[in-house]
Amino acid sequence: MTSTTTTVNTPRSTLSRIIAAGTHQRVLAFASLIVLLIGFSIASPNFMQASNMIAILQATSVNGVLAVAVTLVIITGGIDLSVGTMMTFCAVITGVVLTYAGMPLLLGVVAAIATGALAGSLSGTFVAKMKIPPFIATLGMMLILKGLSLVISGTRPIYFNDTPGFSEISRGSLIGNLIPALPIPNGVLILFIVAALTAYILNRTVLGRYCFALGSNEESVRLSGVNTDRWKIAIYALAGAIVGIAGLLIASRLNSAQPALGLGYELEAIAAVVIGGTSLSGGRGSILGSLIGALIMAVLTNGLRVLSVAQEWQTVVTGAIIILAVYADMMRRKKSN
């Protein structure tokens, strides 16, 4: 009787520890965000101005969507270094469809999302079918997409001046039209919609369950008869489709597709995900935590800029945060073990 009770309760207690650890990390991340907001508000009276808060939210919209995509991949125990250049490539394809081909706006939106899904499924195929380590597979994809963006665009920006309504995707404000006192950009609204839908998929669907299962013990899932390769490709494809939305947001915000843009975005997205409590070893993470992490990165970057800190020192701080975030994840794993 005693052994039966132990067998039943052990998985529950393990799950409880995992949930508690994730919740604890999200609380710490949120507390850090509050401390940053208070600190920068004290350091500069310009920081808490409404226009600056909107700028922070606008910046978070792109990095936040990328963080949502990266969260899915990291939970499986993988990594995706290509999300920055994939975002740029999706923006360039949108430019080709809308500006060069003169197609309707809706087709440009579909093209961006479909392009991201295709690129993501290719990365997933490299990882799942060819057994290439995710770091190397997505590093190669990063370089491929960077080169294709430059080739397709002719190394020149593609502008959307002749596409009515395109800039409204990110810079317009449906909420502001309804409530003038809250001119929150559409990009932020899209971020929260994407985050809510992805959180639902992650927590309430078969795809989400296999996402966590692959990160926890892929071999066990495979031995139970599940086609792990198919699910892994599907997860990478979903992440790529989300990156396509980020491509739309940044192209809309700039009103152009900048083919040389993208490098560096993947590092901020990964840092945001780890800060939010997603484990680099896989099997644990949340969309809410990643959103908090993205806000922390945006607030930090904006605050340093408001304080007139040189760009090179901003880069140093970002690098230090990535190292600290990874170290914190290592300490969390040691404690959970």
Side-chain angles (χ1 to χ4, degrees):
M1 185 68 178
T2 304
S3 61
T4 302
T5 304
T6 303
T7 302
V8 173
N9 288 340
T10 298
R12 291 181 180 177
S13 61
T14 301
L15 180 61
S16 299
R17 286 199 301 271
I18 292 174
I19 293 173
T23 303
H24 179 66
Q25 177 60 23
R26 287 193 294 272
V27 170
L28 286 177
F30 185 72
S32 300
L33 176 61
I34 297 301
V35 169
L36 283 175
L37 288 170
I38 294 173
F40 283 127
S41 299
I42 295 173
S44 173
N46 297 323
F47 179 77
M48 288 300 290
Q49 291 182 354
S51 59
N52 194 52
M53 291 296 101
I54 291 175
I56 290 174
L57 290 174
Q58 186 74 283
T60 306
S61 64
V62 174
N63 290 334
V65 171
L66 289 180
V68 168
V70 172
T71 301
L72 295 173
V73 175
I74 292 181
I75 288 177
T76 67
I79 195 76
D80 195 341
L81 299 179
S82 68
V83 293
T85 54
M86 188 188 300
M87 173 185 71
T88 300
F89 182 66
C90 292
V92 168
I93 294 300
T94 303
V96 170
V97 171
L98 295 181
T99 301
Y100 291 172
M103 303 299 286
L105 178 60
L106 181 59
L107 284 181
V109 172
V110 172
I113 297 173
T115 299
L118 176 61
S121 64
L122 285 175
S123 293
T125 301
F126 296 154
V127 173
K129 295 293 188 182
M130 299 174 66
K131 308 304 179 185
I132 300 174
F135 182 91
I136 301 300
T138 57
L139 177 63
M141 181 58 73
M142 176 182 75
L143 297 174
I144 290 171
L145 295 177
K146 178 184 177 182
L148 287 176
S149 296
L150 293 170
V151 170
I152 293 173
S153 65
T155 71
R156 296 185 300 274
I158 303 175
Y159 294 96
F160 298 95
N161 297 328
D162 297 328
T163 306
F166 185 78
S167 62
E168 295 296 307
I169 293 176
S170 180
R171 294 188 291 178
S173 179
L174 290 175
I175 297 176
N177 292 337
L178 298 174
I179 310 174
L182 291 175
I184 297 175
N186 289 337
V188 179
L189 180 61
I190 291 172
L191 166 61
F192 286 116
I193 292 173
V194 169
L197 291 175
T198 307
Y200 178 84
I201 291 171
L202 198 57
N203 296 307
R204 302 295 182 187
T205 68
V206 174
L207 180 66
R209 287 196 291 273
Y210 281 131
C211 189
F212 283 105
L214 289 172
S216 298
N217 194 331
E218 182 177 345
E219 186 61 25
S220 176
V221 177
R222 182 181 291 109
L223 292 175
S224 67
V226 175
N227 187 336
T228 56
D229 290 350
R230 183 182 66 183
W231 286 106
K232 189 174 289 187
I233 292 171
I235 291 166
Y236 273 84
L238 175 60
I242 295 171
V243 172
I245 296 174
L248 282 171
L249 290 179
I250 195 166
S252 174
R253 193 173 80 187
L254 300 174
N255 203 36
S256 64
Q258 301 287 337
L261 192 67
L263 285 176
Y265 279 84
E266 66 283 341
L267 299 181
E268 290 196 15
I270 292 170
V273 170
V274 177
I275 289 171
T278 298
S279 175
L280 285 172
S281 62
R284 187 177 73 204
S286 73
I287 300 301
L288 176 59
S290 297
L291 284 182
I292 296 173
L295 277 169
I296 288 175
M297 296 298 294
V299 167
L300 185 63
T301 301
N302 182 273
L304 292 175
R305 190 175 295 130
V306 168
L307 295 178
S308 300
V309 175
Q311 179 64 45
E312 52 269 27
W313 282 108
Q314 294 180 34
T315 305
V316 170
V317 171
T318 301
I321 288 175
I322 292 173
I323 293 173
L324 289 173
V326 174
Y327 179 73
D329 178 59
M330 292 169 58
M331 293 299 100
R332 287 198 303 271
R333 290 206 303 264
K334 286 183 179 179
K335 288 181 180 180
S336 63
N337 292 335

